[in-house]
Amino acid sequence: MEASELWVGFVGAGRMAGGLVRGLLQAGKVPASNVLASAPSDKNLDAWRQELGCRTTHCNLEVVHRSTLVFLATKPHILPGVLEEIRPAVGSHHIVVSLVAGVTIQTLQRLLPPRTKVLRIMPNLPCVVQAGAMVFSRGSNVGDEEAALLKSLLSSCGLCEEVPESYIDIHTGLSGSGVAYVYLFAEALAEGAVKMGMPGALASRIAAQTLLGAAKMLLETGEHPAKLRGDVCTPGGTTIYALHQLEKGALRATVMDAVEAATNRACDMAKD
């Protein structure tokens, strides 16, 4: 499908949805005139109109009527009411994509008309700077064509992989929440440098670039993290002394526990 032929709607216009549409527009995947977003107030919609050039409305039904690809980007507790509202307007030509945390494909299919094409995606915050990590899963009525279309669109916002739905909660613990673990580590790196006498702003920039460079090496070399970590260490050098301190602080086990805790919480939210 040509970009000019694709009409994209967003029910909900928060930061994550804005990051996704910004990536679509910058990559030329769809023109701004083909994007329509709805929200209860103009608080978020102003940026969609003024900065992105998209069309906006306060009517969720208008989004469904005017779009083929519909992203659901509301808060979880609001979604059931939204689905009840738009259900009469959803047809066989629609592709419905949910960004809503904790709401399963089974629930979406139950609340929408039979045979609705439903997919579920889980982005993370760096999608707003087109450096995200996303996974998506498809419902029983979605074919390869629709899945390929979604992957092509989302790849403009970062890494995008199709996975079994059971992986989505794990992705939440690994990457959705994981960016906060990285921010905490970056903060600690910088504060360590400040303690040793470096100005805070400079330390923060260097910490961020250190994380960016390390991540780029992981992706581009394909090497296991342990291999790259070993390459930095020299016998009796500074790095092995520092790693010893991190091991004494149980950094590895603590991070694994954090991923487990966030994953379990995501599973619990799906049951609520």
Side-chain angles (χ1 to χ4, degrees):
M1 182 180 293
E2 296 292 333
S4 60
E5 299 174 352
L6 185 63
W7 294 86
V8 181
F10 285 82
V11 178
R15 188 176 185 187
M16 195 69 73
L20 289 179
V21 77
R22 192 179 298 273
L24 298 181
L25 297 178
Q26 290 183 353
K29 296 290 186 179
V30 60
S33 58
N34 286 25
V35 178
L36 176 63
S38 65
S41 73
D42 285 326
K43 178 181 177 182
N44 293 326
L45 293 179
D46 285 344
W48 286 63
R49 286 194 303 269
Q50 297 169 12
E51 297 176 18
L52 302 176
C54 300
R55 297 175 301 124
T56 64
T57 178
H58 297 303
C59 179
N60 296 330
L61 279 173
E62 183 181 352
V63 171
V64 178
H65 283 306
R66 294 180 177 271
S67 306
T68 305
L69 179 63
V70 180
F71 287 90
L72 303 174
T74 70
K75 299 293 186 183
H77 68 280
I78 295 174
L79 186 63
V82 169
L83 293 177
E84 183 178 0
E85 175 191 3
I86 68 172
R87 177 186 168 96
V90 176
S92 59
H93 64 292
H94 284 110
I95 303 170
V96 179
V97 182
S98 174
L99 285 72
V100 183
V103 181
T104 65
I105 290 174
Q106 182 179 16
T107 297
L108 293 166
Q109 291 181 153
R110 176 170 54 82
L111 296 176
L112 289 167
R115 295 181 295 281
T116 299
K117 302 181 186 73
V118 173
L119 300 101
R120 182 182 172 196
I121 71 171
M122 184 55 61
N124 68 353
L125 186 58
C127 287
V128 304
V129 292
Q130 290 74 62
M134 294 156 285
V135 296
F136 74 93
S137 300
R138 66 173 91 176
S140 56
N141 300 305
V142 176
D144 291 342
E145 183 179 354
E146 292 86 8
L149 172 64
L150 183 64
K151 184 169 184 176
S152 173
L153 292 173
L154 295 181
S155 293
S156 63
C157 300
L159 177 70
C160 181
E161 299 284 353
E162 182 174 5
V163 298
E165 190 179 14
S166 61
Y167 289 9
I168 286 184
D169 289 336
I170 302 172
H171 176 78
T172 300
L174 168 65
S175 187
S177 298
V179 292
Y181 321 154
V182 175
Y183 294 146
L184 180 62
F185 188 71
E187 183 182 11
L189 273 178
E191 288 180 346
V194 170
K195 180 181 178 182
M196 302 312 296
M198 182 179 286
L202 177 61
S204 293
R205 291 197 301 273
I206 293 175
Q209 183 62 40
T210 300
L211 294 174
L212 179 64
K216 188 173 183 180
M217 285 194 70
L218 279 170
L219 290 172
E220 292 188 359
T221 66
E223 296 280 8
H224 192 280
K227 166 64 167 60
L228 294 173
R229 173 173 52 81
D231 290 345
V232 183
C233 294
T234 56
T238 60
T239 305
I240 193 64
Y241 270 69
L243 290 174
H244 187 200
Q245 294 301 313
L246 293 176
E247 292 291 0
K248 286 198 293 186
L251 175 69
R252 185 195 309 264
T254 302
V255 173
M256 291 175 67
D257 286 345
V259 174
E260 181 179 0
T263 300
N264 288 338
R265 177 55 185 150
C267 293
D268 291 342
M269 289 173 63
K271 298 174 186 175
D272 292 343

